Amino acid sequence: GVGLLACWADFRQEDADSWARYDDVSAETLFKDYGGVTDPLYDELVAPLLHVLPMGPGYDISAAAALSCFHVFALQSRGAFDVRWCRGGITEKIFRPWQERLEARGNVVL
């Protein structure tokens, strides 16, 4: 089926009826149940985007809010929407080296 694509096409940003249809559905349900997104794809791609765009976990965000955010950021602001994925864990690649540099400068870790 065309699950997620159908929802995307059906949702109208400025239409109260669209918001009413999708507000009672969680974003997680939208992607997993309606859209057929697999658990690994959801965990690796969709969940991080939901934490950045509408700023919350998928079970706590309405499908309407998720569709609205993806519409604005992915479709209307394509040039400003640049996602970069860390190659490896963020602790080992970002936070640990940062901590080591801070400690080398004499900063105290609490």
Side-chain angles (χ1 to χ4, degrees):
V2 292
L4 191 56
L5 184 58
C7 293
W8 192 296
D10 179 55
F11 182 75
R12 299 284 178 240
Q13 183 78 352
E14 304 296 326
D15 181 42
D17 290 336
S18 283
W19 280 85
R21 272 193 309 279
Y22 291 98
D23 234 4
D24 289 334
V25 177
S26 74
E28 185 172 31
T29 299
L30 171 75
F31 286 99
K32 288 183 173 183
D33 296 348
Y34 295 7
V37 172
T38 64
D39 287 339
L41 181 59
Y42 182 86
D43 293 342
E44 293 293 322
L45 178 67
V46 178
L49 288 173
L50 290 172
H51 279 280
V52 172
L53 296 175
M55 297 185 179
Y59 60 81
D60 205 27
I61 297 169
S62 77
L67 288 167
S68 176
C69 285
F70 284 121
H71 174 79
V72 170
F73 289 104
L75 295 178
Q76 292 181 344
S77 307
R78 280 178 282 195
F81 190 71
D82 185 17
V83 176
R84 302 213 181 230
W85 300 108
C86 186
R87 295 182 191 265
I90 60 171
T91 298
E92 72 181 58
K93 297 292 184 178
I94 297 172
F95 292 112
R96 190 167 298 126
W98 185 25
Q99 177 183 356
E100 290 168 358
R101 276 180 270 179
L102 289 170
E103 289 173 345
R105 293 180 184 157
N107 292 299
V108 177
V109 176
L110 300 175

